[in-house]
Amino acid sequence: MEKIRIAIQKSGRLSEKSLNLLKEAGISLNNGSRKLRSVAQSFPLEVIYLRDDDIPQYVEDGVADIGIVGENEFAEKSCQVDLIERLGYSRCRLSIAVPKSETYGGLEDLEGKRIATSYPVILEKYLAEHGVSSDVHTLSGSVELAPSIGVADAVFDIVSSGSTLISNGLKEVEVVMKSEAVVIANRNLGEEVSALLNDLIFRIRSVLAASNNKYILLNAPNENLQKIIDVIPGMKSPTVMPLAEEGWSSVHSVLNEKTFWGVIDSLRELGAQGILVIPIEKMIV
Ligand code: PRT
Ligand code: ZN
């Protein structure tokens, strides 16, 4: 039987979360990311451990069928691969930053300036779209040091908390793209591997949906029951059961994390009591 070969970052910010996602999807590996490859026991899958920079090309070439990379690497390498799922972790942004003492009035201020980056393709495209021509210097690391040593006027780099910029005396002035971990796939997968990919993506979606949702139980006074139901629509509609105590019902439903606190506040205002929120192990979507 054929296996699906997935490329995962060997060691770095994406590694542990990616392996954990596979684990949550019921795919356990005979451990050791120190190795080059490992084979899953419970699913026909093989993991190939690579540097993140290399993953898009290996997937295009078919050395791996699919891969997990930062969207920034996918965009930078502009390989002939398809983005098939966003995974929501390792979020960051790619931004232009200038020394904090500079006044910055807009992109036109970067005309003719030297910008240091490890992402020249994304930057050149952005500058061209905005009709600005700057002098893009490609550096493979420590980009944030370039202005202080006088080799650049600005930088274009990954920003997460922003503390690296601040500690290098820089300020973020343009957010060019947002990035998160994504699944990319080769464009010519065979029938058997495509079927495995569908199965894998189905499992991954169930894991992601579960982590984005919570199961909620609460006691509702019957006079506000309809209003409470309107606040929490649930997957289809909430389950409502009478409580032993006259005039009260028990309501069960699923809440999305994004709207969670707003909904909880409204429920409290409507007189809901005994609110319990429970993590969901898997959610079949
Ligand atoms: O060895 P290999 O080439 O595989 O790894 P790598 O060193 O190139 O990548 P790695 O592990 O650092 O990052 C992998 C991916 O994680 C990136 O491609 C991004 O998609 C994503 N990611 C998320 C980040 C960050 N957050 C991040 N904060 N990648 C890098 N950083 C760095 C950034 O370069 C900067 O130096 O962290 C610093 C900024 O962080 P803040 O919090 O100070 O703003
Ligand atoms: Zn890298």
Side-chain angles (χ1 to χ4, degrees):
M1 185 172 166
E2 247 186 297
K3 290 191 181 69
I4 184 164
R5 295 158 305 160
I6 180 169
I8 283 179
Q9 190 188 22
K10 186 169 168 60
S11 80
R13 287 183 164 85
L14 295 163
S15 310
E16 205 182 305
K17 286 179 181 144
S18 303
L19 290 172
N20 201 46
L21 177 64
L22 291 181
K23 192 171 151 207
E24 300 266 307
I27 299 169
S28 53
L29 297 157
N30 46 14
N31 249 355
S33 52
R34 305 280 147 250
K35 293 192 299 188
L36 229 54
R37 289 164 184 264
S38 54
V39 175
Q41 284 115 34
S42 47
F43 193 87
L45 174 144
E46 182 178 11
V47 176
I48 306 173
Y49 300 97
L50 296 170
R51 286 199 57 195
D52 66 344
D53 314 54
D54 297 334
I55 291 176
Q57 190 63 54
Y58 274 74
V59 171
E60 180 183 308
D61 294 345
V63 176
D65 300 308
I66 63 173
I68 298 180
V69 280
E71 205 174 338
N72 49 302
E73 287 299 334
F74 165 73
E76 179 65 22
K77 298 298 184 294
S78 30
C79 287
Q80 300 299 305
V81 296
D82 291 327
L83 192 167
I84 55 169
E85 190 71 24
R86 293 174 182 279
L87 299 174
Y89 57 82
S90 302
R91 286 182 190 276
C92 58
R93 53 194 189 274
L94 277 80
S95 298
I96 298 174
V98 300
K100 70 170 188 288
S101 54
E102 299 273 306
T103 51
Y104 180 81
L107 266 183
E108 61 277 9
D109 289 2
L110 296 172
E111 182 71 37
K113 295 283 172 65
R114 299 163 303 167
I115 311 178
T117 187
S118 306
Y119 296 93
V121 173
I122 298 170
L123 178 60
E124 298 269 21
K125 184 162 170 258
Y126 181 79
L127 293 172
E129 275 166 13
H130 291 81
V132 176
S133 54
S134 308
D135 186 2
V136 175
H137 281 241
T138 306
L139 300 178
S140 59
S142 305
V143 164
E144 67 280 358
L145 299 176
S148 60
I149 58 172
V151 301
D153 306 301
V155 300
F156 173 61
D157 201 4
I158 294 176
V159 183
S160 172
S161 66
S163 60
T164 301
L165 293 182
I166 291 169
S167 61
N168 285 284
L170 301 168
K171 62 179 176 190
E172 187 175 1
V173 292
E174 302 284 347
V175 177
V176 171
M177 81 172 272
K178 295 210 167 135
S179 174
E180 63 190 277
V182 296
V183 179
I184 54 171
N186 180 277
R187 292 194 174 157
N188 304 301
L189 297 178
E191 208 174 312
E192 212 172 322
V193 173
S194 292
L196 290 173
L197 176 56
N198 286 341
D199 192 358
L200 181 63
I201 293 296
F202 169 76
R203 291 183 184 208
I204 286 175
R205 284 186 184 150
S206 302
V207 172
L208 296 178
S211 68
N212 290 334
N213 289 278
K214 299 277 180 265
Y215 193 76
I216 180 172
L217 298 94
L218 58 89
N219 296 331
N222 285 347
E223 67 267 22
N224 278 345
L225 191 56
Q226 193 53 52
K227 283 186 188 150
I228 285 177
I229 289 170
D230 292 343
V231 179
I232 38 167
M235 286 208 279
K236 279 212 170 66
S237 63
T239 306
V240 180
M241 286 172 284
L243 283 188
E245 192 182 331
E246 189 87 8
W248 285 81
S249 299
S250 169
V251 178
H252 299 200
S253 194
V254 171
L255 271 192
N256 191 280
E257 206 162 50
K258 285 194 189 118
T259 52
F260 186 79
W261 288 109
V263 172
I264 297 285
D265 289 345
S266 314
L267 291 173
R268 282 156 48 96
E269 278 161 26
L270 290 165
Q273 294 182 1
I275 303 175
L276 290 182
V277 178
I278 302 168
I280 298 171
E281 168 75 24
K282 296 284 184 306
M283 195 163 139
I284 308 307
V285 285

